[in-house]
């Protein structure tokens, strides 16, 4: 998504666009990709991304880094031949940044800790969001902490609700 599209979605959820611009720095990965030919002298796409993230961290001083999505980052960085090694060093770099990082990935929980998705093993936490059918006509968002390293946490699903500009996770009430 573009930066403007994300800001419009935030506004639709009741978040003030101008206030968000003060607290949220949005990097459009597509812009980096388009500019890569100009930046290629400075290194690979992933090196340019890291350089940019570090420069913004130094200038703005953020504590939270969200990458949406890991799948797009992998594609842009061309993590094909040695994906496992590339992911390992990406996670090590993120830990070294001293920030809380969220990497969004669209996959099923059943495959996050096996197969091609090594990020489940590398991550300190895995949070799953799914849509659950309720009856024949309704759907509810559900959220679950699959893994939170060094934390005693409930591993079951919670209902995730959004109203009046606020998210809430509540115990699932079975019908």
């Amino acid at each position: 998504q573009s930066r403007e599209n994300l800001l419009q979605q935030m506004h639709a959820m009741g978040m003030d666009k101008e206030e968000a611009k003060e607290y949220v720095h949005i990097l459009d990965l597509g812009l980096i990709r388009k500019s890569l030919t100009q930046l290629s002298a400075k290194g690979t796409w992933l090196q340019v991304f890291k350089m940019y993230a570090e420069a913004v961290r130094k200038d703005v001083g953020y504590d939270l880094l969200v990458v949406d999505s890991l799948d797009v980052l992998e594609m842009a960085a061309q993590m094909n031949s040695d994906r496992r090694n590339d992911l390992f060093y990406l996670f090590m770099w993120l830990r070294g940044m001293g920030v809380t990082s969220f990497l969004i990935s669209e996959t099923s929980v059943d495959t996050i800790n096996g197969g091609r998705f090594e990020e489940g093993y590398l991550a300190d936490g895995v949070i799953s969001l799914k849509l659950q059918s309720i009856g024949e006509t309704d759907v509810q968002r559900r959220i679950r902490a699959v893994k939170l390293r060094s934390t005693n946490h409930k591993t079951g699903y919670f209902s995730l609700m959004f109203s009046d500009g606020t998210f809430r996770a509540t115990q699932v009430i079975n019908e």
Side-chain angles (χ1 to χ4, degrees):
Q1 298 185 58
S2 70
R3 180 180 195 283
E4 193 53 42
N5 189 358
L6 185 56
L7 286 170
Q8 287 173 349
Q9 290 178 21
M10 291 169 63
H11 181 70
M13 294 176 69
M15 299 175 197
D16 184 293
K17 282 172 74 170
E18 294 308 312
E19 187 176 349
K21 287 179 182 178
E22 184 178 335
Y23 295 102
V24 178
H25 185 84
I26 300 170
L27 168 62
D28 189 336
L29 295 178
L31 291 177
I32 288 182
R33 199 162 180 213
K34 287 177 186 176
S35 303
L36 185 58
T37 53
Q38 299 157 0
L39 299 172
S40 61
K42 296 182 181 179
T44 68
W45 188 95
L46 193 55
Q47 288 170 328
V48 172
F49 168 75
K50 289 177 178 180
M51 182 179 63
Y52 187 85
E54 289 168 354
V56 172
R57 170 100 165 106
K58 185 178 178 183
D59 293 344
V60 177
Y62 62 83
D63 296 316
L64 184 64
L65 174 66
V66 180
V67 176
D68 185 8
S69 77
L70 178 59
D71 305 309
V72 171
L73 186 125
E74 282 183 55
M75 181 188 68
Q78 299 176 343
M79 289 185 190
N80 296 325
S81 59
D82 199 4
R83 180 183 184 276
R84 184 181 192 108
N85 195 46
D86 290 342
L87 283 175
F88 174 79
Y89 286 109
L90 175 65
F91 275 77
M92 295 308 298
W93 172 77
L94 287 169
R95 284 189 182 107
M97 287 276 290
V99 299
T100 300
S101 302
F102 287 89
L103 284 81
I104 313 293
S105 183
E106 295 184 28
T107 185
S108 73
V109 174
D110 299 332
T111 60
I112 195 75
N113 282 323
R116 144 178 139 72
F117 298 99
E118 292 89 359
E119 56 270 29
Y121 295 111
L122 295 170
D124 291 331
V126 175
I127 298 172
S128 171
L129 179 65
K130 73 174 186 171
L131 296 175
Q132 178 69 45
S133 294
I134 307 294
E136 291 186 29
T137 60
D138 203 10
V139 176
Q140 185 180 77
R141 286 181 186 90
R142 300 261 172 104
I143 191 165
R144 171 180 175 223
V146 177
K147 171 186 176 182
L148 294 174
R149 193 176 314 239
S150 303
T151 303
N152 184 12
H153 64 92
K154 292 186 177 188
T155 57
Y157 280 100
F158 290 83
S159 296
L160 180 64
M161 299 192 245
F162 179 78
S163 62
D164 300 324
T166 303
F167 284 100
R168 291 182 328 220
T170 64
Q171 196 73 39
V172 173
I173 299 173
N174 293 327
E175 296 180 14

